[in-house]
Amino acid sequence: MTGPWPMQVFYDGACPLCGAEVRYYRARDVHQRIEWIDIAAAKFDAAKYGLAIEKLQNVMHAKATDGRVFTQVAAFVKIWEALPATFWTRLARWVLKVPGMMQLAGVFYRTFARNRYWLTGRCEGGMCGATPSGGISEVRKKS
């Protein structure tokens, strides 16, 4: 990767809402500034990217070309910076600059992330339980 783009975004393709959101962002990524990486893909290897699968399974990650990693709401802000701006992304970025709003948004994001399989109807055969490390149990797509 050269320059600030492309940025790598690690998302959970096993989560229907997450996948739908990434499809929306991909359609808007007209300059191909983001490399979308599905952590639920059968052949995904977190070590290849210098990241831990346990952390990736907990929250969204965005990795800049300089190696900085942004997580949770900060990852979304980086995505919005990479894509052509809309009224809603401008508004969200402005609101998140208000003191305390990033932390409040983080609380809501972590609650969603922790419960995303249950909220999207993906709990099957015990696959929604927390792992001993506190993360979401592994859900992988079949190859």
Side-chain angles (χ1 to χ4, degrees):
M1 296 185 293
T2 59
W5 317 113
M7 172 176 64
Q8 295 173 321
V9 172
F10 300 86
Y11 71 97
D12 181 2
C15 164
L17 184 60
C18 308
E21 189 162 16
V22 167
R23 283 189 298 279
Y24 168 75
Y25 288 143
R26 274 187 184 186
R28 294 192 47 237
D29 189 11
V30 294
H31 302 293
Q32 298 180 337
R33 292 181 165 181
I34 301 174
E35 178 185 359
W36 303 96
I37 301 164
D38 182 356
I39 67 165
K43 295 183 181 186
F44 175 73
D45 179 11
K48 174 181 171 187
Y49 301 97
L51 299 169
I53 188 66
E54 297 80 14
K55 290 183 179 184
L56 289 170
Q57 288 174 329
N58 285 328
V59 295
M60 180 181 281
H61 286 61
K63 187 174 182 181
T65 56
D66 64 6
R68 288 180 299 155
V69 177
F70 302 87
T71 63
Q72 303 179 46
V73 179
F76 283 96
V77 171
K78 297 313 275 183
I79 292 168
W80 300 334
E81 288 173 0
L83 300 176
T86 67
F87 169 78
W88 297 110
T89 58
R90 282 189 197 104
L91 178 63
R93 289 176 61 203
W94 180 80
V95 168
L96 290 172
K97 290 180 183 177
V98 173
M101 289 306 292
M102 193 71 149
Q103 292 80 0
L104 181 61
V107 169
F108 287 106
Y109 175 80
R110 286 187 301 277
T111 300
F112 167 78
R114 188 171 37 251
N115 296 291
R116 68 187 180 271
Y117 295 123
W118 176 76
L119 291 168
T120 59
R122 292 278 301 157
C123 291
E124 306 170 350
M127 293 300 285
C128 280
T131 62
S133 64
I136 304 299
S137 62
E138 187 171 328
V139 174
R140 294 241 180 196
K141 293 179 182 173
K142 296 196 182 355
S143 39

